[in-house]
Every structure is written in structure tokens, then in C-alpha cells.
Amino acid sequence: ENIHKTDAEVLNGLINKVGFHNNKTKYIKQTVEKLVNEFDGDIPPTAEEMIKLPGIGPKMAYIIENVAFGVSTGIGVDTHMHRIFNDLKW
């Protein structure tokens, strides 16, 4: 609710040292709007639903799902690790 009420410029100023902070501010505000309106302010219970939120990709969705719900429907793998695994023929 606090982020929902926070002005985008203020939020952007709070995260301005983070890479791509302008895009992240936009995604955070869009995601919070959806969470408030579609999920009663909570996070969706599945990675599949989380991936539909702005700025949430599979890696983050699987990590959130595991930490928040103790469920693992996938593995949050960074793109660089994926490349290494392919090179190793795993």
C-alpha cells in the first residue's frame, strides 16, 4: 500500500543507484497497481501468474515462489549460467 501511494518520482529517487532505475520504477508502479487491484494486495501464488506481472521474469518468479510459498516449480537460473550449462552440454 505504501509503494502504491508513493509518487513515481519519489520512488525513482529512492532506487536511483540501481541500474535501469527508470524502467524498474515503472515496473514497480505497474506491478503494485495489479497486485492491489487483482490480488488484494498480495502476491500471486504461482510462478506462472507472477510472470504475467510487469518486470517479473521466470528467474525472479521461481525464487519468489520458493521463498514465499516453499514451492519449487522451476529453478531461477541467471542467463549467464544457462549459457555455461549449454556449453557444458548439460
Side-chain angles (χ1 to χ4, degrees):
E1 293 176 6
N2 287 337
I3 294 173
H4 189 250
K5 294 175 186 174
T6 302
D7 182 68
E9 287 184 29
V10 172
L11 181 60
N12 196 34
L14 293 171
I15 66 168
N16 69 353
K17 294 195 187 320
V18 175
F20 304 105
H21 62 90
N22 293 325
N23 284 335
K24 289 179 182 177
T25 297
K26 179 179 68 174
Y27 292 145
I28 290 168
K29 292 298 283 182
Q30 290 172 348
T31 295
V32 169
E33 184 71 25
K34 282 187 146 210
L35 294 177
V36 167
N37 293 326
E38 298 175 24
F39 296 97
D40 198 30
D42 208 346
I43 57 174
T46 66
E48 185 178 326
E49 289 180 276
M50 287 181 231
I51 292 169
K52 295 176 185 174
L53 296 170
I56 304 291
K59 178 178 75 173
M60 187 52 64
Y62 293 135
I63 292 169
I64 294 168
E65 181 183 59
N66 184 265
V67 171
F69 301 108
V71 175
S72 293
T73 61
I75 300 171
V77 177
D78 188 80
T79 302
H80 305 292
M81 292 305 297
H82 189 278
R83 290 182 195 147
I84 291 170
F85 295 151
N86 285 342
D87 288 346
L88 294 172
K89 308 275 192 254
W90 285 12

